[in-house]
Amino acid sequence: ISGDGFAHRERLVREIMQVDKCSWDEAHEKLIEMDEFNERFYWLQTLPYRLGISLAFFGGAGSLLLVFHKATAQLYAEKVAGEELPEGIEDISTLTTNQVGSWTWQWAEPMIGVASFVLLCMQFARAQAINMNMSAYTRWMLAWRARRAELHHPHYSAPMVRSWAAHLPRVGATFFPEWRRRLHTPEARKKNFRALYS
């Protein structure tokens, strides 16, 4: 069951049933409570990833605008880079998009080149840290989640609680988590496991 969140969840449901001497339905209600506790700091824990995704998106879109968009390129050239339009050009609208890119590349290339090299160095450093088995943020954060859940639910098997808690919910296209507990509400259980209720 290594790495399978659903398997860890079902194993913990069986543990709750055995320890609390309760039904499968009641065990799911308990697990939903545990899930809500476990996800209390979800937004804070995933903030670095969300910031990284947002910065990457806006950085990519911004670099396209700064290099190829006429109005943005001219504004940046005059206000930040201290550059003027190419010789013999009085209005940027007379330039093609490719010509604007050739003009802006004179000052954009060093910035984009340095940013690319910094990212390359950071990626290389991270790869070496993983080779040395250093604990990266994700591993540390998942271990913290698991330990916190284990301490809050000491009457259940510690390895089962830890393996269940060290898992992040899947994120959909909306950038919001798809909470698994929604799949296991009483209504969803009756719909998804009809055979148990007939």
Side-chain angles (χ1 to χ4, degrees):
I1 65 173
S2 178
D4 187 333
F6 281 110
H8 291 300
R9 181 183 187 92
E10 189 58 32
R11 185 173 71 161
L12 188 55
V13 165
R14 305 297 171 172
E15 170 72 3
I16 294 168
M17 289 170 66
Q18 182 178 357
V19 171
D20 293 354
K21 306 284 189 251
C22 64
S23 69
W24 187 77
D25 262 335
E26 292 165 339
H28 271 89
E29 292 303 318
K30 178 63 179 175
L31 192 59
I32 287 172
E33 288 176 28
M34 293 172 69
D35 201 34
E36 287 169 354
F37 172 82
N38 197 42
E39 301 301 345
R40 191 170 291 162
F41 298 107
Y42 171 81
W43 293 101
L44 184 63
Q45 291 166 338
T46 59
L47 184 63
Y49 306 119
R50 293 170 185 283
L51 284 176
I53 292 167
S54 301
L55 287 173
F57 176 79
F58 288 114
S63 65
L64 284 172
L65 290 173
L66 289 171
V67 174
F68 294 108
H69 187 254
K70 294 176 184 180
T72 308
Q74 185 173 14
L75 181 70
Y76 186 86
E78 293 171 353
K79 304 291 184 190
V80 180
E83 293 284 333
E84 296 178 0
L85 286 171
E87 225 175 284
I89 303 294
E90 293 184 15
D91 187 2
I92 196 167
S93 63
T94 61
L95 295 174
T96 66
T97 302
N98 193 38
Q99 288 171 327
V100 172
S102 297
W103 168 58
T104 57
W105 197 246
Q106 296 171 36
W107 68 82
E109 183 181 17
M111 292 184 294
I112 294 174
V114 168
S116 299
F117 187 70
V118 166
L119 287 173
L120 179 68
C121 289
M122 290 171 69
Q123 190 176 11
F124 180 75
R126 182 179 186 278
Q128 299 319 307
I130 289 171
N131 287 341
M132 291 173 50
N133 205 22
M134 285 178 70
S135 185
Y137 172 74
T138 302
R139 197 166 8 160
W140 173 85
M141 181 263 295
L142 291 176
W144 181 83
R145 283 169 57 96
R147 182 75 179 136
R148 180 174 168 268
E150 175 192 351
L151 292 174
H152 194 261
H153 307 288
H155 44 289
Y156 301 123
S157 167
M160 288 185 192
V161 173
R162 279 197 312 266
S163 64
W164 162 80
H167 173 78
L168 286 174
R170 194 173 142 208
V171 175
T174 59
F175 219 44
F176 281 87
E178 296 174 352
W179 305 113
R180 284 193 174 171
R181 61 179 167 259
R182 289 184 186 152
L183 298 174
H184 298 281
T185 61
E187 299 78 25
R189 289 197 300 270
K190 286 177 183 171
K191 178 182 172 188
N192 296 330
F193 304 101
R194 287 184 288 275
L196 295 174
Y197 294 93
S198 54

